[in-house]
Amino acid sequence: YESVFFNDSAKLELKFAQKGAKIYYTVNNEMPLDNFDEPSEKNLLYKKAIVFKKPFTTFKAKVFCKGFKPSETIELSFAGPGKQIKRITSTSPDKKYPGSGDSTLFDNKGGIENINSNTWMGFYTDRINFVIELTKKETVNSILLSFLENESSWIFLPELILVYYYDESKNAFVPFGREVFYYDDKDPYYANNVNFRFIFPKLENIKTQKLMIDLSTVKKMPEWHEAKGKQAWCFIDEIKVY
């Protein structure tokens, strides 16, 4: 696939070299995107490229072959167009992982697990701030942030995501929504995937043209990590407003 983000559609092709192997898959278009069954031989058999057009889709696939154990499951989420973004300004990323500038965050390119892809902006700092300006004032129902989780490479989700919207009557940014992450009691499993995080508003019918996102990164990696106590990286490649 070229990108998990799209305006009209996304195309996914699968290949597996083992003779006699078959790929079975499941598709989910409901929220939350990760809440559905693992693929089995009772599910859909992959025969040709799959085209996604619905706003949100999560795809899972597994290979089955006689005489072999089933493969690990691959999982990908795809996201369609959101509201038109005029610009996003952000904290400067690390020089090693600049992406392609601030447009990296809304260019509909990304969702690739390779950390050296120029679709990722990598940050090695305690706090990250984004200010999003839409082309016009609109009702905002959710914010999507696409992160890379690659804990063996010291890349973690943030500890805290805070989202604010600009309230013209108060001439200030006020709380929109938040998400907190906990790592100390997590199983010692080194995640490696593209992770969509949706932030939903506390209130209904929020209309705004500006939003602000404040991320607090992992300042000390947890005890179960081989680099415990050291600063973690935070990688992000897309922000969408719905």
Side-chain angles (χ1 to χ4, degrees):
Y1 61 96
E2 292 184 359
S3 174
V4 299
F5 307 104
F6 61 91
N7 282 320
D8 299 313
S9 64
K11 183 179 180 181
L12 174 66
E13 295 182 84
L14 304 174
K15 295 180 180 179
F16 195 80
Q18 177 67 37
K19 186 177 180 180
K22 294 181 179 180
I23 304 172
Y24 289 86
Y25 66 94
T26 53
V27 175
N28 178 43
N29 298 117
E30 303 295 331
M31 297 289 286
L33 294 176
D34 59 354
N35 186 23
F36 66 113
D37 294 335
E38 290 288 303
S40 73
E41 292 175 279
K42 295 180 180 180
N43 294 120
L44 298 167
L45 174 64
Y46 176 81
K47 295 181 179 179
K48 61 180 181 179
I50 303 167
V51 176
F52 301 116
K53 292 186 177 181
K54 293 188 177 181
F56 306 112
T57 300
T58 292
F59 172 93
K60 290 183 181 181
K62 182 176 283 193
V63 181
F64 296 86
C65 187
K66 187 176 181 180
F68 293 86
K69 292 182 179 179
S71 72
E72 294 181 355
T73 300
I74 64 164
E75 180 176 336
L76 291 167
S77 294
F78 294 82
K83 299 187 184 299
Q84 195 74 30
I85 294 175
K86 184 177 181 180
R87 68 172 65 90
I88 298 179
T89 55
S90 75
T91 301
S92 296
D94 190 89
K95 292 180 180 179
K96 293 180 182 178
Y97 305 102
S100 53
D102 287 340
S103 63
T104 304
L105 301 169
F106 60 107
D107 61 3
N108 264 353
K109 298 177 181 178
I112 300 167
E113 292 180 2
N114 181 1
I115 65 174
N116 294 311
S117 167
N118 64 1
T119 61
W120 291 108
M121 295 176 76
F123 300 86
Y124 195 64
T125 183
D126 291 353
R127 297 277 297 277
I128 308 168
N129 183 267
F130 304 101
V131 177
I132 305 161
E133 185 178 351
L134 303 176
T135 56
K136 60 182 179 180
K137 188 176 181 179
E138 295 188 73
T139 300
V140 177
N141 299 306
S142 64
I143 309 294
L144 165 64
L145 298 96
S146 174
F147 293 101
L148 178 64
E149 263 190 298
N150 189 333
E151 293 171 348
S152 62
S153 296
W154 299 20
I155 302 170
F156 279 66
L157 296 178
E159 289 183 338
L160 175 66
I161 301 173
L162 296 173
V163 179
Y164 304 86
Y165 72 97
Y166 187 74
D167 187 328
E168 291 182 350
S169 65
K170 297 179 180 179
N171 194 27
F173 283 100
V174 297
F176 176 93
R178 69 201 304 263
E179 184 173 9
V180 183
F181 301 86
Y182 300 96
Y183 291 102
D184 288 342
D185 57 352
K186 178 183 172 183
D187 291 333
Y189 164 73
Y190 281 48
N192 181 18
N193 56 65
V194 176
N195 196 313
F196 282 5
R197 309 309 305 178
F198 284 90
I199 308 298
F200 297 97
K202 294 180 178 179
L203 305 174
E204 295 182 356
N205 300 320
I206 290 176
K207 293 194 73 172
T208 188
Q209 191 173 355
K210 288 185 178 180
L211 297 128
M212 182 169 66
I213 301 172
D214 191 47
L215 305 180
S216 296
T217 62
V218 175
K219 300 166 189 64
K220 293 183 179 181
M221 282 180 274
E223 289 294 315
W224 52 261
H225 197 279
E226 60 184 3
K228 61 183 180 182
K230 294 186 178 180
Q231 171 86 42
W233 286 84
C234 184
F235 274 45
I236 185 168
D237 71 353
E238 196 83 6
I239 298 173
K240 283 185 172 287
V241 180
Y242 294 103

